[in-house]
Amino acid sequence: MEGKTMHQIDPEMKACIDACHECHITCLHMAMNHCLEAGGRHAEPQHMKLMLDCAQICSVAIDFMARKSEHHRHICRECAEICRACASSCEGLDGMEDCVAACRKCAEACDKMAA
């Protein structure tokens, strides 16, 4: 029998999980390396907290989707909101283009999952 089995992840959900994973890793890496090293506005508490919030909610969203929780839609909705806020915070800072791109891609994917 060819095709999708019951245990395969829906392609749209898989794309969202992948986007969340990329965002999680990117935000965590950039916060703990680039931002701390750059200092100044990059290391302001509000910005750092937002980046860590973004990384954490992405991780939570991955977990909820992986276990097909009935609550994944509202977790993804929250994830999209936090990712957009993180992208906005990173936009005005030098060297944060990868983070902005990962956050925007994740927000878009999570918006689809939340619908």
Side-chain angles (χ1 to χ4, degrees):
M1 177 192 285
E2 288 186 33
K4 193 166 131 176
T5 68
M6 283 180 38
H7 301 292
Q8 286 184 325
I9 297 174
D10 172 73
E12 191 171 275
M13 185 176 281
K14 175 75 168 96
C16 189
I17 288 170
D18 290 346
C20 285
H21 181 256
E22 182 65 26
C23 190
H24 170 80
I25 296 299
T26 301
C27 285
L28 201 54
H29 175 77
M30 293 297 288
M32 294 295 101
N33 295 283
H34 177 76
C35 290
L36 286 178
E37 290 172 12
R41 288 185 19 206
H42 283 82
E44 286 179 355
Q46 184 177 357
H47 177 70
M48 293 296 294
K49 287 178 187 177
L50 186 53
M51 289 190 74
L52 296 178
D53 285 351
C54 189
Q56 186 67 55
I57 195 67
C58 287
S59 181
V60 170
I62 291 167
D63 289 353
F64 273 65
M65 287 184 281
R67 63 178 178 259
K68 295 186 179 181
S69 169
E70 63 186 59
H71 300 285
H72 82 271
R73 285 184 180 16
H74 60 262
I75 295 297
C76 286
R77 191 173 302 113
E78 188 65 24
C79 186
E81 182 179 325
I82 293 171
C83 284
R84 279 190 289 275
C86 188
S88 293
S89 181
C90 292
E91 265 182 330
L93 301 174
D94 292 336
M96 298 297 290
E97 297 81 11
D98 290 349
C99 198
V100 172
C103 288
R104 294 217 186 283
K105 182 177 179 180
C106 187
E108 186 177 308
C110 281
D111 279 338
K112 288 179 185 173
M113 287 310 303

